[in-house]
Amino acid sequence: MTPQIMIVEDEFLIAMEMEQIVGNLGYNCIGVADDTESAIELVLKKPDIALVDVNLSDGPTGPEIGARLANEYDVKVVFVTANPKQLGNGVKGTLGALTKPLEIEVLKDMLDYLVKVANDRDDAEPPRRMQLFH
């Protein structure tokens, strides 16, 4: 079964590019949210994975959104942000962060990793550039 992926990103061109790459890699992007309200609406489509930016159209709400998606909806969350320092030592329930900009190959490796994690695979190896939260 193809994992359902949601993107939480407020910069239109970045969101559009990520959505296209996700689709080109064979995954199903269920949509893009740009703030807390739209993210909570989108999660009702039952995503397996969420790629979440930190700073969104309603402020630096990404960490709160990521925590809610992970802890309330059991979504595998990775932050994709130019500001990973804003995440401190991590966000409870989320997996980690990648720093923008991302190359296609890094995004592919991250999605492959997240699919393995979502399927409870023990052989899941995170991409080298991914900061894991413990």
Side-chain angles (χ1 to χ4, degrees), residues 36 40 63-75 92 94:
T36 304
I40 299 307
E64 175 188 329
I65 292 168
R68 287 190 66 189
L69 294 176
N71 298 309
E72 294 175 31
Y73 299 96
D74 198 31
V75 177
K92 184 180 179 203
T94 65

Side-chain angles (χ1 to χ4, degrees), residues 53-87:
D53 192 8
V54 171
N55 294 302
L56 300 164
S57 63
D58 57 349
T61 57
E64 175 188 329
I65 292 168
R68 287 190 66 189
L69 294 176
N71 298 309
E72 294 175 31
Y73 299 96
D74 198 31
V75 177
K76 304 300 181 206
V77 175
V78 169
F79 294 96
V80 180
T81 179
N83 305 295
K85 290 181 181 178
Q86 286 182 278
L87 298 167

